[in-house]
Amino acid sequence: MVNGFRSMVAQLRFQEMIKGMFLLAVICCPEMLYVHAAEAQGWDDFTRMRFIVPRGYVCYRATKPVVIDGKLDEEAWTYIPWTEYFGDIEGDAKPRPRFRTQAKMLWDDTYFYVGAFIEDTHVWATLTKHDAVIFYDNDFEIFIDPDSDNHEYYEIEINALNTEWDLFLKRPYKDFSPGMGADNGWEIPGLKTAVHVYGTLNDPKDEDQGWSVEFALPWAVLKEFAHKPAPPRDGDQWRVNFSRVEYLPEIILTTNVRKTEKSFLTKADGTRCENWIWSPQGIINMHCPEKWGYVQFSTGIPGTVEFRPDPTEPARMILHEIYYAQRDFFRKNNRWATTIDDLGLAVPTHKSVVKAPVIKRSGDGYTATLTVKLPDGSQKTVSIDQFSKVTVE
């Protein structure tokens, strides 16, 4: 498997880097910039996100013990499918990543397991302190929103030294308000992680194959803000995404050990790290949970269960269209729109829509509501508020 990843190294050119420290803040989450992040996102962002379809993955129940050693070579992983190769965070509009990345998932009564292989010709890491800002190194990141409401989600990052950072977010950065930011003090008691390096760490004189990582995330901790069964039931779906932050090799080779944060994050010409992920976001921001992938938990035999798309997904996208249009409308008018006409949007015509969206003022904000018909004939009411929180009833 590792040798298969090596074939891409000489074939793919560097993609154009995203410029500026501000965008990195939006991707990765420095709390001090949340106000600017909130101001930045609006209708232009939605136009790049609207046609991105979240990926789906069937996560099978483990039938053998999972040994957390970073290698993914035990029998429990043998018949478990890999995800698609990671792509650029903005989607197919950007070049394919220079290196390949894939992940696998498993579960049992105690843990949610994640494993990944990260191809890299020069594996390096410098951060050794728990809860350091791990994306200052090349890293691998996990995002989990159990109930798909865009709020109360988990983020876990790790580097090739097995240094881990975990945090909990009450809301996405674009929806911050006092008391509703990121909780860097949140921890995962019982978390197990391990890394295996295929090559030599922090040695620029040779060429490596990459590194692999394993996580065992305890359901006992994940259930705190899940608002649904944890461990999950057969067929349950959680929203999950994975990200890989990768710096330019010439930066690594010329410095190897970080001199200053700024020198590593931004070169003289303004270029910086790349961001490769499993389920594309459409824009340079991991903190838009509405575009994360769906993980469907199964007790079936690996490879025999079909992924079932969320039947409320069309309604969610219609409501997010309203949400992003409302952000622009409020910036221009200092008030929320109360009709679709005010926003200049067309009445949605998706076949699942039973009733046109209704916007109602709610305190200092609003709630937009939509009724959809599901494949089984039942109906669901889906709503979104000014902080992007989605509710399904």
Side-chain angles (χ1 to χ4, degrees):
M1 178 272 293
V2 174
N3 289 335
F5 278 85
R6 303 178 70 180
S7 63
M8 292 283 288
V9 175
Q11 301 175 18
L12 302 179
R13 66 181 178 83
F14 288 172
Q15 79 171 74
E16 180 181 2
M17 298 295 100
I18 310 301
K19 294 183 178 181
M21 288 292 293
F22 164 69
L23 289 179
L24 181 66
V26 177
I27 293 173
C28 299
C29 65
E31 287 80 352
M32 72 288 292
L33 292 180
Y34 74 83
V35 173
H36 303 292
E39 292 174 352
Q41 278 192 258
W43 183 253
D44 288 344
D45 294 295
F46 181 76
T47 61
R48 297 195 297 274
M49 299 168 64
R50 68 189 309 163
F51 297 116
I52 297 289
V53 178
R55 295 194 184 279
Y57 181 92
V58 177
C59 179
Y60 293 100
R61 186 177 177 87
T63 58
K64 300 289 183 179
V66 180
V67 179
I68 305 301
D69 59 7
K71 297 181 180 179
L72 282 78
D73 59 358
E74 59 264 35
E75 187 177 353
W77 289 111
T78 302
Y79 301 104
I80 301 304
W82 289 99
T83 63
E84 297 87 347
Y85 291 121
F86 287 23
D88 188 89
I89 189 170
E90 294 185 83
D92 293 338
K94 296 295 181 178
R96 290 184 299 172
R98 294 177 284 115
F99 301 126
R100 292 185 177 183
T101 313
Q102 284 181 289
K104 289 186 177 189
M105 288 164 266
L106 276 171
W107 68 288
D108 60 23
D109 286 340
T110 307
Y111 296 106
F112 175 35
Y113 301 99
V114 175
F117 182 82
I118 301 134
E119 182 192 42
D120 206 331
T121 52
H122 294 289
V123 180
W124 67 277
T126 63
L127 300 170
T128 58
K129 184 179 179 181
H130 173 67
D131 278 351
V133 182
I134 300 300
F135 64 79
Y136 286 158
D137 280 349
N138 289 351
D139 76 350
F140 181 81
E141 305 175 1
I142 302 173
F143 298 83
I144 304 173
D145 177 11
D147 62 351
S148 191
D149 68 347
N150 290 349
H151 284 203
E152 295 183 324
Y153 60 87
Y154 312 109
E155 179 179 354
I156 305 100
E157 303 188 6
I158 201 164
N159 67 6
L161 281 169
N162 198 31
T163 307
E164 182 262 342
W165 178 23
D166 43 31
L167 61 159
F168 168 74
L169 289 96
K170 294 181 180 179
R171 293 177 183 167
Y173 288 97
K174 60 184 172 55
D175 297 306
F176 268 15
S177 62
M180 297 297 285
D183 181 2
N184 196 48
W186 179 78
E187 296 293 334
I188 312 178
L191 172 69
K192 298 179 183 180
T193 66
V195 167
H196 181 77
V197 176
Y198 296 89
T200 52
L201 186 65
N202 294 337
D203 184 354
K205 296 186 296 298
D206 65 357
E207 185 171 299
D208 306 318
Q209 294 176 314
W211 53 292
S212 55
V213 59
E214 282 180 297
F215 299 81
L217 300 155
W219 295 118
V221 177
L222 298 181
K223 72 178 182 182
E224 181 179 4
F225 297 101
H227 306 297
K228 61 194 309 184
R233 301 161 299 194
D234 179 63
D236 281 359
Q237 293 184 345
W238 288 31
R239 300 302 290 272
V240 175
N241 213 349
F242 305 114
S243 171
R244 172 184 177 179
V245 171
E246 181 76 10
Y247 290 88
L248 288 168
E250 57 261 36
I251 300 179
I252 302 168
L253 296 177
T254 56
T255 61
N256 197 34
V257 177
R258 181 179 311 283
K259 294 179 180 178
T260 67
E261 293 175 0
K262 185 174 181 180
S263 69
F264 247 84
L265 291 172
T266 309
K267 295 170 61 182
D269 64 359
T271 58
R272 62 151 187 83
C273 67
E274 295 174 272
N275 198 214
W276 305 328
I277 71 174
W278 169 47
S279 191
Q281 297 290 107
I283 62 172
I284 309 169
N285 188 346
M286 279 304 299
H287 294 272
C288 295
E290 66 267 24
K291 288 302 179 183
W292 294 354
Y294 286 89
V295 172
Q296 178 178 310
F297 296 93
S298 174
T299 58
I301 299 172
T304 66
V305 177
E306 185 177 353
F307 175 77
R308 296 176 289 98
D310 179 0
T312 70
E313 180 65 22
R316 291 171 180 272
M317 288 304 98
I318 291 169
L319 292 173
H320 276 92
E321 182 176 19
I322 294 172
Y323 163 81
Y324 283 103
Q326 283 277 37
R327 291 172 69 85
D328 279 6
F329 187 90
F330 188 89
R331 279 193 285 268
K332 295 173 182 177
N333 302 284
N334 199 33
R335 65 180 179 88
W336 301 111
T338 56
T339 68
I340 298 296
D341 287 342
D342 288 343
L343 295 172
L345 300 178
V347 176
T349 57
H350 192 273
K351 62 182 180 180
S352 66
V353 175
V354 175
K355 297 179 182 178
V358 174
I359 302 174
K360 292 183 178 181
R361 290 293 303 272
S362 177
D364 293 332
Y366 71 89
T367 300
T369 302
L370 189 63
T371 301
V372 292
K373 186 175 182 180
L374 306 186
D376 64 3
S378 63
Q379 294 186 1
K380 291 283 187 181
T381 299
V382 188
S383 62
I384 197 168
D385 68 11
Q386 74 273 17
F387 297 117
S388 82
K389 183 172 183 178
V390 174
T391 304
V392 180
E393 298 176 334

